[in-house]
Amino acid sequence: MFLEKEEEKILDGEYGEVMEKCMKILVKLGDIYGADKLIDIKSVHSPGASYRVSGDAGLNFVEEVSKKAKFKCFTTLNTGGMDLENWKEHNIPEYFAEKQLRLTRAYEKMGAISCHTCTPYFIGNLPLENEDIAWGESSAICFANSVIGARTNREGGPSALAAGVIGKVPDYGYHRDENRKGDFLFKINTEVKTVREFGALGYYVGKIVGRKVPVFENLKNTTLDNLKALSAALASSGAVSLFLMKKEEDLERIEIDEEDLKEVYEKFGDKGKPDIVCIGCPHASIFEIKEIASILKGKKLDTECYILTSKPIKSLSDRMKYTEIIEKAGGKIVCDTCPILTAKESMNYDLLYTNSAKLAHYAPGVCDIDVSLLELKDCLVVK
Ligand code: F3S
């Protein structure tokens, strides 16, 4: 891979050991994937920001880097292991909280925005079309590539950290035009209009395409929340990082009918009374919280209910009095975390209701919880 003079100097250790280590990660990746140069990036969304994922090895690495380096570009943090302010309410063990706080502080020291979320585009990390970025978190990557039109590969914790410190990534994969083309065309013959339905579509298509690029024809009701659900589901049953919504003629064509989505609903069917409801995977937008508040106004929930979001969106919800309505109904808005990335000890439940196909996919394996994938209003069981 060709390196500019300054990049060579970093690799030769002239700017210290930490910079050298970061550059080595990027060069190694570039060599593996056949990149011929490094390119500048506009932002980073760093995965591995939950202690549950980073473990001690990741925590030590981030702390080591934070002593000597700062992020060169705008950097946000993916969902963490607990609500940074209210973790004591959620059965988080002390040892876990201590390590999560150390991890968050180390990222902050490097200049990352102190907010853990999987929807960084709702809190100001919003690149422009065709901008190169280095993002982790599969749902956010798929959303960034497909909805925003920015360009990122699937970065892991170390590569996103290295990219942020150096301000560059190797030029391969979805940074390049030739890889941003469709592989299969999906013609949608059934009405898809809710978060649950978009999630079911993504779940079904993700299983078919794996890591390839689906193109959707006749996809309507493309709201931000629906597209975030689609992105998340495509990236969980499959490993999709890019989907397209423009017609490409010479692709294998697959029809999607109502029956296909029914398969997904049956897999995650209604299994009786839940002991936990989780909405906001990926983290809820203010529009979703508004909808939840309008359903719950004046009612009482019959079960524990967590609305997952970021701190800035919760602040908006507080100001709009949605939080008050939700809390009066017995629900809680939880920031910075989610069932999949929080401490295992805090998810001691048997049956979870959600409208998120991504959460339905992961919760049984990661949290050992049975799941029903339902429409939002059916998740919010009231007395
Ligand atoms: Fe976000 Fe956790 Fe879902 S990171 S996409 S809420 S599994």
Side-chain angles (χ1 to χ4, degrees):
M1 186 165 71
F2 168 79
L3 292 184
E4 289 178 0
K5 271 212 173 91
E6 207 51 25
E7 295 165 353
E8 286 281 8
K9 280 190 191 170
I10 298 173
L11 191 64
D12 290 343
E14 284 191 33
Y15 293 92
E17 212 181 305
V18 163
M19 296 289 277
E20 179 188 337
K21 215 181 241 180
C22 290
M23 185 56 99
K24 273 191 177 150
I25 292 173
L26 300 184
V27 169
K28 181 98 190 153
L29 267 178
D31 287 343
I32 291 170
Y33 290 104
D36 56 8
K37 62 178 187 307
L38 293 173
I39 49 173
D40 292 340
I41 48 167
K42 284 284 174 0
S43 81
V44 166
H45 183 60
S46 194
S50 159
Y51 174 67
R52 172 137 182 204
V53 176
S54 74
D56 286 331
L59 170 61
N60 293 339
F61 178 59
V62 178
E63 282 188 327
E64 184 196 331
V65 174
S66 74
K67 284 180 194 143
K68 298 273 167 56
K70 298 260 183 254
F71 287 122
K72 280 224 170 68
C73 54
F74 187 71
T75 297
T76 45
L77 298 176
N78 196 36
T79 306
M82 62 189 195
D83 187 313
L84 293 183
E85 283 159 25
N86 302 311
W87 59 270
K88 286 191 177 148
E89 290 172 21
H90 299 129
N91 212 20
I92 303 287
E94 293 272 347
Y95 86 91
F96 186 99
E98 187 255 319
K99 297 203 174 188
Q100 177 63 58
L101 289 170
R102 271 173 53 194
L103 186 61
T104 305
R105 300 287 103 91
Y107 275 117
E108 282 170 5
K109 197 171 165 203
M110 297 173 70
I113 297 298
S114 185
C115 168
H116 287 278
T117 184
C118 46
T119 51
Y121 38 90
F122 288 156
I123 64 151
N125 193 351
L126 185 57
L128 300 179
E129 192 177 4
N130 293 326
E131 276 185 351
D132 291 296
I133 57 177
W135 282 22
E137 166 46 38
S138 63
S139 70
I141 293 161
C142 192
F143 188 93
N145 275 323
S146 318
V147 182
I148 302 171
R151 296 172 174 234
T152 182
N153 290 317
R154 272 188 171 218
E155 302 296 349
S159 69
L161 186 73
V165 165
I166 302 293
K168 294 170 191 267
V169 287
D171 185 19
Y172 71 94
Y174 291 115
H175 294 288
R176 301 189 59 83
D177 285 344
E178 66 267 26
N179 300 318
R180 300 181 65 92
K181 293 195 174 113
D183 293 304
F184 297 93
L185 180 69
F186 289 88
K187 165 119 191 304
I188 315 297
N189 297 326
T190 178
E191 193 177 31
V192 183
K193 57 182 187 316
T194 65
V195 159
R196 173 191 181 236
E197 289 166 350
F198 269 75
L201 173 65
Y203 190 87
Y204 185 82
V205 170
K207 278 202 150 178
I208 297 173
V209 301
R211 53 183 65 247
K212 299 245 163 95
V213 179
V215 181
F216 292 105
E217 187 188 318
N218 199 30
L219 188 62
K220 298 189 179 121
N221 305 307
T222 49
T223 65
L224 279 184
D225 291 324
N226 285 342
L227 291 174
K228 124 172 129 60
L230 178 66
S231 302
L234 282 166
S236 46
S237 66
V240 174
S241 295
L242 169 69
F243 66 86
L244 301 169
M245 290 181 281
K246 59 174 192 261
K247 207 165 163 185
E248 294 190 19
E249 294 299 343
D250 50 353
L251 296 177
E252 183 184 334
R253 192 183 170 92
I254 300 168
E255 309 270 333
I256 300 279
D257 300 311
E258 207 182 329
E259 285 306 306
D260 299 321
L261 302 193
K262 268 195 189 149
E263 264 183 41
V264 182
Y265 303 138
E266 271 161 28
K267 180 176 166 74
F268 301 113
D270 192 346
K271 300 181 184 76
K273 191 169 183 284
D275 49 2
I276 181 79
V277 176
C278 288
I279 309 294
C281 168
H283 277 177
S285 69
I286 192 65
F287 300 106
E288 290 179 295
I289 295 179
K290 180 184 180 187
E291 197 183 347
I292 293 163
S294 75
I295 295 172
L296 292 182
K297 192 161 189 179
K299 309 223 171 77
K300 281 271 175 241
L301 281 156
D302 199 21
T303 183
E304 248 183 286
C305 175
Y306 290 163
I307 317 300
L308 315 161
T309 193
S310 64
K311 184 77 183 160
I313 297 293
K314 164 140 189 319
S315 298
L316 259 183
S317 168
D318 294 350
R319 185 178 275 188
M320 296 299 293
K321 309 268 186 257
Y322 303 149
T323 309
E324 198 180 311
I325 295 169
I326 290 166
E327 287 179 351
K328 263 192 188 155
K332 270 192 191 139
I333 300 190
V334 180
C335 299
D336 306 307
T337 191
C338 80
I340 303 302
L341 294 175
T342 192
K344 212 169 180 201
E345 295 85 339
S346 78
M347 285 306 294
N348 196 9
Y349 300 96
D350 293 321
L351 177 61
L352 178 147
Y353 272 11
T354 185
N355 63 344
S356 161
K358 174 170 180 175
L359 189 53
H361 176 68
Y362 283 115
V366 178
C367 314
D368 198 18
I369 299 180
D370 221 342
V371 178
S372 296
L373 174 65
L374 304 173
E375 288 300 330
L376 178 63
K377 65 174 173 22
D378 299 323
C379 287
L380 301 172
V381 188
V382 290
K383 286 179 188 161

